[in-house]
Amino acid sequence: MNKKRSAFQNQIVCIFLLTFFLMFLVSLYIYSNMNSIIENIDQAYEGNYNLVEMREWLDGIHSSMKEYLNTKDPNTLNRFYSGEEKYKELCGVFEHEHAETESQIKENNIFQMSENYIQIVNKAVLAKQGKNIARYRTYQQQADELYEYLSTYMIDFNSTLFQNNSDTYSKLLHSTKFTEMMYSVILLLTGCMDICLLLLLTRRLVSPLKELADTAREVGNGNLDVQLVETDDWNEIGVVNRAFNQMVVSLRDYIEKFRQSVEAESTLKEQSIRMEASVKDAQLKYLQAQINPHFLFNTLNAGAQLAMLEDADQTYRYIHKVAEFFRFKMKKDDYTSTLQDEIQLVDDYIYIINVRYAGEICYQKHVDEQLLNITVPSMILQPIVENCIKHGFREVEWEKKIDLSVNLEGDYIVVSIRDNGIGMTQETMNAVLHNEELKDTDQEKADGIGLDNVITRMRIFYSRENVVEITSVGTNLGTEVALYIPV
């Protein structure tokens, strides 16, 4: 699974940016709320400010009108019209199409009275310009009365509005203090949470370093069986952690391989010694005769030559086979042989036995000729055949048969020797396969190479346990010994 690698430095920067962003949001929230409160306070007194300004312009308009009526000065008339325009603009704020509250009704009244006042003042100015003294005096008197009433009305409404705004201001001030206290608490909690978050994230970064340091200290003291610290982080700490774990695993594998190498070398030496001892034991058991084997071989050759001179062909062949049999036995220094030589030795041995026992052994071979040049330990087939004759055919009254076959099965050459004798018990098969001693007083067996010796030498030679398989399905149903030789 692909993971995006983030640098350790980037994680630290992210922690501080997150902290800063959190504090910034809280400060922004506090600032926004304070501005809202200030705006509410400003709006509360905006009505008073507008009324005061309107009174100032109303006073200016009324003074300009009276001065113009008295002096008919053009400059005064210009000030009058300028003040009139500004006053109308200020009055426009107090106009409400659908007045609902008491304040809006009073503002509408001020607007209507201001409109009437402007109309009367304009009529007085026009009458003055038309030199109609009676009319401008009448309009001036009406303007003075309306001015006084409008001024008084504005003062009363301003006082009422100021009183209401003072109550609103008190409430806003109280709300401001409460909000200030709440903001202080929020700011304190945010700061504490921010510090806890910072400590938590810092601990998450530092904790793997501490565990790695403790593990490295154990490894430095020679303890490689430590519990490795697993991590899912892909920063620099994770890279170092995984590299350290790989180093510890490599050290373990190296030490284990070195130990196995030493054990394998020791095993090979032991197998070599056991192989040599087993072969010598096999040779010595066949050379226990008191006569000199070389003298026996030479004597048999002389007898064979004499039989040939006397035209005794059967005698010559028998003596010659016996001489060849003993010649193979005298190869003391040859620990290995070929499968072909081993089968030839079996052929000679069967021939000698058949001459001795009037051909009572029926011997058949089924051999793949392409498999005969393989190297095998010496003396591995003849002892099995000898075991068949001495023990499998003991007290057997039916025809004695021995079948030898050589076939290729997968990665193994299988050499099978099967007889139709009395068979072997499971106890005997287990004892032979596990090289256990059997209680047997047969001196002939003691003088030969046992089946267990063949199994031991093959296991040493091929460095594996499963080299022989013994099968005996029941009493008087014979025995099959199969040798598995790696190709």
Side-chain angles (χ1 to χ4, degrees), residues 127-128 130-139:
K128 178 64 177 180
K131 298 180 181 182
N132 188 342
I133 298 173
R135 295 192 64 183
Y136 90 77
R137 288 180 182 271
T138 303
Y139 289 136

mmCIF file of all heavy atoms in Angstrom, residues 127-128 130-139:
data_model
loop_
_atom_site.group_PDB
_atom_site.id
_atom_site.type_symbol
_atom_site.label_atom_id
_atom_site.label_comp_id
_atom_site.label_asym_id
_atom_site.label_seq_id
_atom_site.Cartn_x
_atom_site.Cartn_y
_atom_site.Cartn_z
ATOM 1 N N ALA A 127 -43.540 85.792 0.018
ATOM 2 C CA ALA A 127 -44.330 87.010 0.283
ATOM 3 C C ALA A 127 -43.416 88.212 0.490
ATOM 4 O O ALA A 127 -43.726 89.336 0.065
ATOM 5 C CB ALA A 127 -45.212 86.794 1.518
ATOM 6 N N LYS A 128 -42.275 88.016 1.101
ATOM 7 C CA LYS A 128 -41.321 89.079 1.306
ATOM 8 C C LYS A 128 -40.775 89.557 -0.035
ATOM 9 O O LYS A 128 -40.612 90.777 -0.261
ATOM 10 C CB LYS A 128 -40.177 88.570 2.203
ATOM 11 C CG LYS A 128 -39.068 89.600 2.441
ATOM 12 C CD LYS A 128 -39.574 90.805 3.205
ATOM 13 C CE LYS A 128 -38.443 91.787 3.511
ATOM 14 N NZ LYS A 128 -38.902 92.975 4.243
ATOM 15 N N GLY A 130 -42.318 89.318 -2.803
ATOM 16 C CA GLY A 130 -43.415 89.998 -3.505
ATOM 17 C C GLY A 130 -43.843 91.287 -2.793
ATOM 18 O O GLY A 130 -44.831 91.916 -3.214
ATOM 19 N N LYS A 131 -43.142 91.643 -1.734
ATOM 20 C CA LYS A 131 -43.402 92.867 -0.985
ATOM 21 C C LYS A 131 -44.823 92.925 -0.439
ATOM 22 O O LYS A 131 -45.459 93.974 -0.352
ATOM 23 C CB LYS A 131 -43.136 94.096 -1.836
ATOM 24 C CG LYS A 131 -41.688 94.218 -2.288
ATOM 25 C CD LYS A 131 -41.476 95.451 -3.136
ATOM 26 C CE LYS A 131 -40.020 95.553 -3.593
ATOM 27 N NZ LYS A 131 -39.791 96.785 -4.398
ATOM 28 N N ASN A 132 -45.319 91.707 -0.099
ATOM 29 C CA ASN A 132 -46.646 91.624 0.512
ATOM 30 C C ASN A 132 -46.415 91.523 2.008
ATOM 31 O O ASN A 132 -46.245 90.436 2.572
ATOM 32 C CB ASN A 132 -47.385 90.399 -0.019
ATOM 33 C CG ASN A 132 -48.840 90.371 0.420
ATOM 34 O OD1 ASN A 132 -49.239 91.052 1.376
ATOM 35 N ND2 ASN A 132 -49.649 89.602 -0.295
ATOM 36 N N ILE A 133 -46.448 92.688 2.661
ATOM 37 C CA ILE A 133 -46.047 92.753 4.057
ATOM 38 C C ILE A 133 -47.029 92.017 4.952
ATOM 39 O O ILE A 133 -46.634 91.286 5.873
ATOM 40 C CB ILE A 133 -45.922 94.234 4.503
ATOM 41 C CG1 ILE A 133 -44.830 94.928 3.676
ATOM 42 C CG2 ILE A 133 -45.615 94.336 5.986
ATOM 43 C CD1 ILE A 133 -44.750 96.421 3.917
ATOM 44 N N ALA A 134 -48.272 92.155 4.721
ATOM 45 C CA ALA A 134 -49.271 91.516 5.584
ATOM 46 C C ALA A 134 -49.142 89.994 5.551
ATOM 47 O O ALA A 134 -49.199 89.324 6.579
ATOM 48 C CB ALA A 134 -50.684 91.963 5.152
ATOM 49 N N ARG A 135 -48.977 89.494 4.377
ATOM 50 C CA ARG A 135 -48.921 88.015 4.258
ATOM 51 C C ARG A 135 -47.634 87.458 4.856
ATOM 52 O O ARG A 135 -47.644 86.451 5.554
ATOM 53 C CB ARG A 135 -49.053 87.604 2.785
ATOM 54 C CG ARG A 135 -50.428 87.955 2.197
ATOM 55 C CD ARG A 135 -50.623 87.291 0.867
ATOM 56 N NE ARG A 135 -50.646 85.848 0.971
ATOM 57 C CZ ARG A 135 -50.747 85.028 -0.057
ATOM 58 N NH1 ARG A 135 -50.808 85.500 -1.284
ATOM 59 N NH2 ARG A 135 -50.777 83.727 0.134
ATOM 60 N N TYR A 136 -46.437 88.055 4.580
ATOM 61 C CA TYR A 136 -45.204 87.465 5.071
ATOM 62 C C TYR A 136 -45.156 87.557 6.589
ATOM 63 O O TYR A 136 -44.555 86.731 7.252
ATOM 64 C CB TYR A 136 -43.982 88.082 4.399
ATOM 65 C CG TYR A 136 -43.382 89.271 5.070
ATOM 66 C CD1 TYR A 136 -42.584 89.140 6.216
ATOM 67 C CD2 TYR A 136 -43.603 90.574 4.561
ATOM 68 C CE1 TYR A 136 -42.043 90.260 6.807
ATOM 69 C CE2 TYR A 136 -43.048 91.667 5.156
ATOM 70 C CZ TYR A 136 -42.247 91.505 6.297
ATOM 71 O OH TYR A 136 -41.681 92.609 6.882
ATOM 72 N N ARG A 137 -45.857 88.651 7.184
ATOM 73 C CA ARG A 137 -45.886 88.711 8.633
ATOM 74 C C ARG A 137 -46.738 87.576 9.224
ATOM 75 O O ARG A 137 -46.387 87.002 10.255
ATOM 76 C CB ARG A 137 -46.458 90.062 9.086
ATOM 77 C CG ARG A 137 -45.497 91.229 8.837
ATOM 78 C CD ARG A 137 -46.121 92.529 9.315
ATOM 79 N NE ARG A 137 -45.236 93.642 9.043
ATOM 80 C CZ ARG A 137 -44.293 94.087 9.857
ATOM 81 N NH1 ARG A 137 -44.126 93.460 11.029
ATOM 82 N NH2 ARG A 137 -43.534 95.116 9.535
ATOM 83 N N THR A 138 -47.851 87.308 8.511
ATOM 84 C CA THR A 138 -48.707 86.200 8.969
ATOM 85 C C THR A 138 -47.948 84.867 8.907
ATOM 86 O O THR A 138 -47.971 84.065 9.844
ATOM 87 C CB THR A 138 -49.984 86.117 8.117
ATOM 88 O OG1 THR A 138 -50.672 87.367 8.189
ATOM 89 C CG2 THR A 138 -50.892 84.990 8.578
ATOM 90 N N TYR A 139 -47.301 84.609 7.749
ATOM 91 C CA TYR A 139 -46.545 83.349 7.600
ATOM 92 C C TYR A 139 -45.386 83.275 8.588
ATOM 93 O O TYR A 139 -45.054 82.223 9.119
ATOM 94 C CB TYR A 139 -46.022 83.211 6.174
ATOM 95 C CG TYR A 139 -47.119 82.930 5.160
ATOM 96 C CD1 TYR A 139 -47.143 83.596 3.934
ATOM 97 C CD2 TYR A 139 -48.132 82.009 5.433
ATOM 98 C CE1 TYR A 139 -48.127 83.352 2.998
ATOM 99 C CE2 TYR A 139 -49.120 81.770 4.498
ATOM 100 C CZ TYR A 139 -49.115 82.432 3.290
ATOM 101 O OH TYR A 139 -50.105 82.196 2.383
#
